[in-house]
Amino acid sequence: MSGLPPRAPLRIGFIGFGEVASHVMPGLRAAGLTDVTVHARRPEARALAAGLGATASADIGALADRDVVFACVPGSSAVDAARSAAGLPSSVLYVDVSSLDPAGKRAAAELAPGDFVDAAILGSAVERGHRVPLVASGPGAARFADLLTPHGMTITVVGDQPGEAAAIKLVRSVFVKGLEALYVEAFVTARRLGVLDTVEASVAEFLDTRPARDTAEMLLRSHLLHAARRAEECALSARMVAESGLDPLLSAATAALMARTASARIQVQGRPTVAQSVALLDESLGDHR
């Protein structure tokens, strides 16, 4: 047996108590972290926190004795939240889970007390609670994983600089939210044309045919080879979407991207991997800012 005394239960704090915090906090309490204090400006948020078993306060100073403080505020408020927390003790682990760009996370890190953690949620806290996957970076990321993983949180440390986790989340959102938008544009158009059931089945069959990594490799490789032909097809798709009465935001952008790749005249040899295809595109397309 170890001669070390048992570690005292962590004292958890939250700044803000909206959708994320109200779904993460109950899971932490169920995992044994029952000493929870919430700082929230809105009376209804404080009432919700108190109803779920937390101590709720309008005073940021109520978090002064916390070991870990989660900042769960909208991205537009994240820097202000860090500024308001600046007077908390340097021993606190400050975990910013807001949706913010890398520059914003770095700005928050400059103001926040203690070790800063840029934590990005990759999934739905509503569905998975405190077990929702997180990527974490910043000087406190390793400590964050060490302290909270034993309580059921799913944390992958991706670097020691604030902004690295935020970059992963936002680039991932280009794909995930873009796919969501594509579903909207394609399926609304299909409904207007009376072919929704067939299109839905065809899309599902395409996505179910192979593992996602193989699909990415196949699409990127064929994009390099067939972008010119696909640009023409996508222009026709965009016109059809417009004729259905829907603004072809995604269709037109897809046609433009295909045409951009075609104009680069990229030379492809063999069967490139995802990384190799992306490198060819990166080197050929230049800086379009």
Side-chain angles (χ1 to χ4, degrees):
M1 296 178 59
S2 171
L4 296 175
R7 178 184 284 176
L10 293 172
R11 295 164 296 183
I12 302 298
F14 287 89
I15 298 176
F17 204 74
E19 183 176 276
V20 170
S22 64
H23 285 86
V24 168
M25 190 268 278
L28 292 178
R29 282 180 50 81
L33 303 181
T34 57
D35 187 351
V36 180
T37 299
V38 171
H39 162 63
R41 294 180 178 178
R42 295 183 297 113
E44 58 269 29
R46 296 196 298 273
L48 175 60
L52 291 173
T55 300
S57 175
D59 180 10
I60 190 73
L63 302 178
D65 65 344
R66 302 292 92 183
D67 300 304
V68 181
V69 171
F70 291 91
C72 300
V73 299
S76 59
S77 301
V79 174
D80 286 341
R83 184 180 291 110
S84 72
L88 297 179
S90 60
S91 58
V92 72
L93 186 66
Y94 188 91
V95 183
D96 187 336
V97 300
S98 61
S99 293
L100 199 59
D101 64 12
K105 289 282 188 171
R106 290 191 291 269
E110 290 292 325
L111 296 166
D115 285 339
F116 183 86
V117 182
D118 167 13
I121 298 173
L122 304 184
S124 171
V126 173
E127 294 178 358
R128 303 188 64 176
H130 77 301
R131 297 184 183 276
V132 65
L134 297 170
V135 290
S137 66
R143 180 179 161 209
F144 176 46
D146 177 61
L147 290 176
L148 274 303
T149 298
H151 298 284
M153 295 196 77
T154 305
I155 303 163
T156 301
V157 177
V158 295
D160 58 7
Q161 298 299 314
E164 292 178 89
I168 291 170
K169 178 180 178 68
L170 292 184
V171 173
R172 179 180 180 272
S173 290
V174 172
F175 180 84
V176 176
K177 304 307 189 292
L179 184 60
E180 174 186 327
L182 283 170
Y183 270 116
V184 171
E185 186 164 306
F187 282 19
V188 170
T189 301
R191 182 180 185 276
R192 292 185 176 188
L193 297 175
V195 294
L196 176 58
D197 289 347
T198 303
V199 168
E200 181 183 3
S202 178
V203 168
E205 181 182 8
F206 172 77
L207 293 175
D208 291 341
T209 297
R210 59 186 69 79
R213 291 180 184 273
D214 293 345
T215 297
E217 183 174 300
M218 179 272 290
L219 288 176
L220 285 166
R221 182 173 63 247
S222 61
H223 174 74
L224 291 169
L225 296 171
H226 305 299
R229 174 173 58 79
R230 290 177 178 172
E232 296 179 3
E233 179 180 328
C234 289
L236 293 174
S237 296
R239 188 171 72 187
M240 182 189 66
V241 172
E243 289 172 350
S244 79
L246 193 66
D247 191 353
L249 296 173
L250 277 297
S251 306
T254 301
L257 187 145
M258 296 288 181
R260 186 184 68 182
T261 298
S263 67
R265 300 184 182 279
I266 301 170
Q267 299 299 311
V268 181
Q269 295 182 347
R271 294 174 60 85
T273 64
V274 167
Q276 290 167 340
S277 293
V278 172
L280 287 170
L281 288 162
D282 190 14
E283 293 162 3
S284 301
L285 296 179
D287 190 337
H288 290 262
R289 287 177 294 179

